[in-house]
Amino acid sequence: MAITVKLYGPGMLKLATGSIDLDADTFKLMLVTNANPPDLDADDFRDDRTTGEVANGSGYATGGVTLTGVAVTYDSASDQVRFDCADPSWTFTGAVTWRYGDVYKSRGGAASADELLASLAWDSDQTVSTTYALQIDPAGLLYWDVT
């Protein structure tokens, strides 16, 4: 199972202009079915992705899980700025199917205010009915080369 991580263009602009603070903001990861592929150029807020979000229930809560252990570091050996977090997990009580995951800044209110940052795409639909833990790469969930 391969996972491709890509950044939302509008999210990167918000990061560059200060609307998203990787050190201070709360981030969540929500799961979305194959009914709503991401548009990395146009999708800017979570409400663009809620159509197709995994339904509330069977151990999944609308909006996804909060990313914990968030850290932003610089690795001089690889010349990378890294955004890392603890491995997020869900305990499903019934079959849940998704294809995409969206990392977004959670403001705690309307989906139209939560800025999208990154999209995770699994190479095929994932159907799980037990505990699922997403293993984050040791280099971090997101990283930027500075050279």
Side-chain angles (χ1 to χ4, degrees):
M1 162 192 62
I3 300 173
T4 303
V5 180
K6 294 186 178 180
L7 300 168
Y8 283 101
M12 287 303 300
L13 180 60
K14 295 203 179 284
L15 180 63
T17 59
S19 295
I20 294 176
D21 183 337
L22 296 177
D23 274 335
D25 293 334
T26 297
F27 294 92
K28 288 190 166 188
L29 175 61
M30 65 186 248
L31 302 177
V32 180
T33 68
N34 65 10
N36 189 8
D39 183 336
L40 299 173
D41 294 321
D43 294 344
D44 51 359
F45 292 94
R46 182 168 60 96
D47 64 342
D48 293 322
R49 303 290 296 138
T50 54
T51 299
E53 181 179 7
V54 168
N56 195 50
S58 295
Y60 182 81
T62 301
V65 296
T66 301
L67 298 180
T68 62
V70 171
V72 181
T73 60
Y74 175 68
D75 181 68
S76 61
S78 64
D79 293 325
Q80 292 177 336
V81 173
R82 297 177 175 181
F83 175 82
D84 199 7
C85 62
D87 296 347
S89 65
W90 293 262
T91 300
F92 299 124
T93 58
V96 174
T97 301
W98 72 93
R99 182 60 154 302
Y100 305 102
D102 288 301
V103 176
Y104 66 93
K105 174 182 174 175
S106 175
R107 293 183 177 270
S112 59
D114 293 339
E115 296 98 331
L116 293 169
L117 179 61
S119 173
L120 287 69
W122 281 256
D123 58 358
S124 62
D125 284 354
Q126 303 298 300
T127 300
V128 179
S129 57
T130 59
T131 298
Y132 178 82
L134 175 61
Q135 273 193 297
I136 302 299
D137 188 285
L141 177 61
L142 307 171
Y143 59 88
W144 295 266
D145 292 324
V146 297
T147 57

